[in-house]
Amino acid sequence: MHILITGGAGFIGSHVIRHFLNSWPDYTITNLDKLTYAGNLANLSDVESLPNYRFVKGDIADGRFLLDLFGKYRFDAVIHLAAESHVDRSIENPSEFVVSNVLGTVNLLVAARSIWEGSCEGKRFYHVSTDEVYGSLGSDGMFSESTPYDPHSPYSASKASSDHFVRAFHDTYGLPVIISNCSNNYGSHQFPEKLIPLFINNIRLRKPLPVYGKGLNVRDWLWVVDHGRAIDCIFHHGAEGETYNIGGHNEWANIDLIRLLCRIMDSKLGREAGTSEALITWVTDRAGHDLRYAIDASKLQRDLGWVPSVTFEEGLEQTVDWYLENQAWLDQVTSGQYQDYYEKMYAGR
Ligand code: NAD
Ligand code: TYD
């Protein structure tokens, strides 16, 4: 089987590629990535020399290029992760999210259809999406696969739109699609613009920790390795045309998570208890900030038997260890344009 994985140089994509290469040595994996600020080939340095792995640099917004690529390699399956992924950036520059997330997804669907039409047997187009398409919850309830879409940020609106196109290609052309919507991921190799790696980086550098609003927004955190395991499980055993929610039943208010992280960091860095918490700085809330996400992953558990492999405490500790052992990675990805981004995003808050 030859699988095209898009966005494989990013956070989740690099874990998915590593997982598939280790678990399915008979498969050939082609990684297509534009290498935006979030894409980093160093994320794959441990597997890049394997003979069944290939990297192609390219933009999914370029439809002609995709038609040629699919014509050349005749992929059996696609696992699509490439996307602009950060909510704060989508608030600054929504159009980029339409180009990569909506147009890019449609181009991939068109390219897959161009080689599979008439012979979809054994083919699969797997679209990786987010729970943010469902909008925001109040203090109770959870998102199920039948929760109506209600996106609020340009990021979640673009992902919602891409999900609709994937379903439309199934219903209209019979493309063998499958979609999963996952909660917030954490783990190694995540770009330090998202909450957990940003705060780990700031704590190590003794920089302020910018908490949006009152810190009471709730996210449902899943270890990225468990997301990769879920994608493998759904890719192989999920039913065509279906949607699966992925989550770890692991809700945390931001401020509680941040305090836990501060305690772990103080202990790992040998700093006096309370040192990191003193860096907490309350800043202006994110515009349109969704209050709470929580995933009901019972369909995935019941139908396919997937459950997370680690507790949050175990996963978070491993994550902190990785960033502290790989401070050169943090220094490398936060050099250059990262400084401009940081100034722009946080200076006025
Ligand atoms: P990321 O930003 O770390 O990586 C995205 C990758 O896509 C990068 O390598 C980037 O270079 C590439 N890319 C972006 N635009 C491209 C384009 N036009 N053409 C080709 N490549 C392009 O993102 P991530 O956190 O790894 O997320 C991966 C996917 O998973 C996204 O589709 C995201 O919506 C989804 N998702 C993320 C989370 C999360 O918590 N991070 C949760 C659920 C779903
Ligand atoms: P983030 O990691 O950006 O993920 P998402 O917005 O996709 O859920 O943010 C997680 C939560 O942390 C979210 O409620 C916003 C909040 N947050 C802060 O309080 N400060 C920050 O500097 C960042 C990046 C996020």
Side-chain angles (χ1 to χ4, degrees):
M1 166 134 52
H2 188 175
I3 309 178
L4 175 70
I5 298 187
T6 70
F11 165 49
I12 302 172
S14 61
H15 282 275
V16 171
I17 288 189
R18 184 174 300 102
H19 174 93
F20 270 75
L21 286 170
N22 289 331
S23 305
W24 303 97
D26 293 344
Y27 292 179
T28 298
I29 303 288
T30 293
N31 171 16
L32 169 63
D33 199 295
K34 182 180 170 183
L35 298 183
T36 68
Y37 75 92
N40 185 348
L41 288 177
N43 293 352
L44 290 160
S45 53
D46 53 332
V47 291
E48 67 188 357
S49 56
L50 288 174
N52 54 337
Y53 168 77
R54 167 192 304 117
F55 172 69
V56 175
K57 185 171 187 298
D59 188 344
I60 57 169
D62 183 345
R64 182 68 256 168
F65 158 76
L66 285 185
L67 286 172
D68 291 344
L69 188 76
F70 276 67
K72 182 172 176 192
Y73 292 116
R74 318 280 318 167
F75 304 111
D76 300 301
V78 176
I79 303 179
H80 173 37
L81 296 109
E84 290 292 335
S85 67
H86 190 37
V87 173
D88 292 324
R89 285 186 195 256
S90 81
I91 294 168
E92 289 295 310
N93 190 356
S95 308
E96 246 178 39
F97 284 67
V98 177
V99 173
S100 286
N101 300 3
V102 185
L103 179 63
T105 301
V106 175
N107 285 340
L108 278 170
L109 291 161
V110 168
R113 186 175 167 235
S114 75
I115 60 163
W116 296 344
E117 201 169 25
S119 59
C120 284
E121 189 59 38
K123 308 291 191 258
R124 180 143 281 194
F125 189 104
Y126 187 135
H127 178 58
V128 175
S129 193
T130 166
D131 62 354
E132 304 192 23
V133 298
Y134 298 123
S136 182
L137 293 163
S139 54
D140 54 12
M142 287 194 283
F143 299 132
S144 77
E145 287 81 0
S146 57
T147 302
Y149 277 29
D150 182 24
H152 299 292
S153 72
Y155 163 66
S156 54
S158 70
K159 291 297 290 187
S161 173
S162 67
D163 293 9
H164 290 319
F165 272 104
V166 173
R167 287 196 188 93
F169 269 64
H170 175 261
D171 297 349
T172 308
Y173 307 112
L175 206 74
V177 308
I178 199 154
I179 299 178
S180 59
N181 296 82
C182 187
S183 60
N184 286 61
N185 284 211
Y186 69 94
S188 69
H189 302 91
Q190 187 172 29
F191 193 77
E193 62 185 354
K194 308 277 168 56
L195 181 72
I196 290 179
L198 178 79
F199 277 36
I200 290 174
N201 191 41
N202 284 12
I203 291 172
R204 85 177 170 112
L205 301 174
R206 297 179 191 270
K207 284 173 63 176
L209 305 177
V211 182
Y212 296 168
K214 295 190 165 70
L216 296 178
N217 303 69
V218 173
R219 297 292 183 264
D220 184 350
W221 294 93
L222 181 71
W223 193 36
V224 64
V225 173
D226 281 331
H227 189 186
R229 288 176 50 248
I231 289 174
D232 179 339
C233 177
I234 295 165
F235 179 79
H236 288 99
H237 306 294
E240 183 185 316
E242 287 291 312
T243 295
Y244 295 87
N245 280 353
I246 311 173
H249 283 296
N250 181 42
E251 290 181 51
W252 286 78
N254 290 341
I255 191 61
D256 296 334
L257 165 53
I258 290 161
R259 292 203 167 110
L260 171 64
L261 189 59
C262 286
R263 285 197 294 279
I264 296 175
M265 289 291 286
D266 282 346
S267 132
K268 298 267 177 200
L269 293 168
R271 294 179 185 168
E272 196 183 325
T275 308
S276 299
E277 264 200 59
L279 297 170
I280 288 176
T281 311
W282 304 95
V283 301
T284 311
D285 207 353
R286 173 187 279 172
H289 198 172
D290 286 336
L291 178 64
R292 176 171 164 259
Y293 304 142
I295 276 275
D296 173 359
S298 55
K299 175 177 173 182
L300 180 57
Q301 182 171 356
R302 185 186 62 242
D303 292 1
L304 305 185
W306 174 90
V307 283
S309 69
V310 296
T311 65
F312 186 52
E313 286 71 12
E314 287 164 349
L316 193 59
E317 193 165 332
Q318 283 200 36
T319 299
V320 168
D321 285 342
W322 187 85
Y323 286 100
L324 293 180
E325 283 158 17
N326 291 275
Q327 297 193 41
W329 183 94
L330 276 173
D331 290 336
Q332 187 238 320
V333 300
T334 54
S335 61
Q337 289 183 348
Y338 182 86
Q339 305 300 338
D340 301 336
Y341 164 82
Y342 203 87
E343 271 302 303
K344 193 167 170 212
M345 205 56 83
Y346 291 99
R349 275 197 135 104

